[in-house]
Amino acid sequence: MVVAEKELTDDELAALDDFLARVEGGRIPNTEALDGFFAALTCCPDMVMPSEYLAVIQSGETEDGNLVFEDMAEAERFMGLVMRHWNHVNRQLRHGEVYLPLLLENDEGQYLANDWANGFLSGTHLRADIWGDLMNDEEHGGPLVPILALAFENHSNPELRPFDKPVDDEQREGLVISSAAGVMRLYAHFLPQREGYLPKTGTATRRRPKIGRNEPCPCGSGKKYKKCCGAEPTLH
């Protein structure tokens, strides 16, 4: 029996935020963005391996801005925190729970959700072909609308901003609620397609080489795959 890890405590989230803050000009600046990033990856029917998404999380705008660890213990600490939050986001959607986005409070006591939405958008970029098809799907692309609205609210190009006037508290609350509900709808939408990507018994076709359960885990933890990312309830 595998016992599910608990979600990160406030202190652990703060520690993870400190790690992410070291990255200069990265696409995932904080845990709010990380939560949105993982929400997109969880919804997507194609697997995104840790080696791929960790590169995004740790990369800055230039190589000099990448996340650097002082020692192996610090690297393991970071990896453990990231993987636990990944599992938390996965559990909410896979087990039919209500998805609650992780939002950070700003200095004015507001929860803007822009970083979360931009993190989600960064997640879609890893499988741009799949998400691009959905964005152009008038029948099923609706759940993306509030997420994109929050992501582009303060875009550097004013022409791409969805609102002519500042968003008030009531509007923002509606966008956040619609975005959270949209994540659950997106997960349900992609669920039938996920069977075409995930490993099956028999003669299933895999889009990536199979990882042996006794081989080192590709996430870099140093553990065997079956004891790390290949263990239930984790799904990559």
Side-chain angles (χ1 to χ4, degrees):
M1 177 179 179
V2 178
V3 179
E5 293 177 299
K6 294 181 180 179
E7 61 184 285
L8 299 182
T9 65
D10 289 343
D11 287 343
E12 289 171 329
L13 286 170
L16 184 51
D17 261 322
D18 288 342
F19 278 121
L20 296 173
R22 297 185 192 177
V23 181
E24 298 178 7
R27 289 157 60 184
I28 311 298
N30 51 41
T31 51
E32 176 178 315
L34 182 67
D35 190 85
F37 183 64
F38 281 164
L41 300 189
T42 302
C43 289
C44 184
D46 192 15
M47 291 189 298
V48 179
M49 297 299 291
S51 56
E52 186 175 357
Y53 66 67
L54 284 170
V56 176
I57 296 170
Q58 299 180 71
S59 297
E61 188 172 13
T62 65
E63 188 173 344
D64 291 339
N66 292 351
L67 178 58
V68 177
F69 303 106
E70 295 182 359
D71 51 36
M72 184 59 69
E74 198 175 62
E76 291 176 350
R77 170 69 167 164
F78 171 78
M79 188 68 63
L81 294 173
V82 168
M83 299 311 296
R84 278 179 57 197
H85 193 64
W86 165 259
N87 291 340
H88 170 63
V89 174
N90 269 262
R91 278 195 302 270
Q92 291 182 83
L93 294 168
R94 290 175 57 213
H95 294 174
E97 300 176 17
V98 174
Y99 170 70
L100 299 175
L102 172 64
L103 304 181
L104 301 179
E105 186 178 12
N106 66 9
D107 294 337
E108 287 73 42
Q110 301 170 304
Y111 295 90
L112 301 180
N114 301 123
D115 285 344
W116 178 91
N118 278 294
F120 189 98
L121 204 58
S122 292
T124 68
H125 293 164
L126 295 187
R127 293 296 182 271
D129 54 341
I130 294 174
W131 288 100
D133 289 343
L134 183 62
M135 289 179 186
N136 293 319
D137 187 332
E138 294 184 3
E139 181 179 357
H140 300 106
L144 287 169
V145 172
I147 299 173
L148 293 171
L150 287 168
F152 284 86
E153 180 185 356
N154 302 307
H155 198 278
S156 57
N157 183 352
E159 294 184 1
L160 295 180
R161 296 174 188 171
F163 307 108
D164 295 328
K165 300 178 180 179
V167 176
D168 62 32
D169 292 343
E170 185 176 353
Q171 285 178 300
R172 189 172 304 281
E173 182 179 6
L175 287 169
V176 171
I177 292 173
S178 296
S179 295
V183 169
M184 293 186 287
R185 288 174 59 192
L186 290 167
Y187 184 84
H189 168 74
F190 281 128
L191 191 58
Q193 299 180 40
R194 194 166 288 110
E195 296 179 358
Y197 290 93
L198 295 181
K200 299 179 182 178
T201 58
T203 57
T205 300
R206 297 175 182 271
R207 297 188 61 171
R208 291 175 175 77
K210 178 180 179 181
I211 302 171
R213 290 182 59 74
N214 289 312
E215 293 179 11
C217 186
C219 75
S221 67
K223 300 178 182 179
K224 291 182 179 180
Y225 180 66
K226 67 181 180 182
K227 295 292 187 180
C228 190
C229 297
E232 288 292 340
T234 307
L235 177 64
H236 294 307

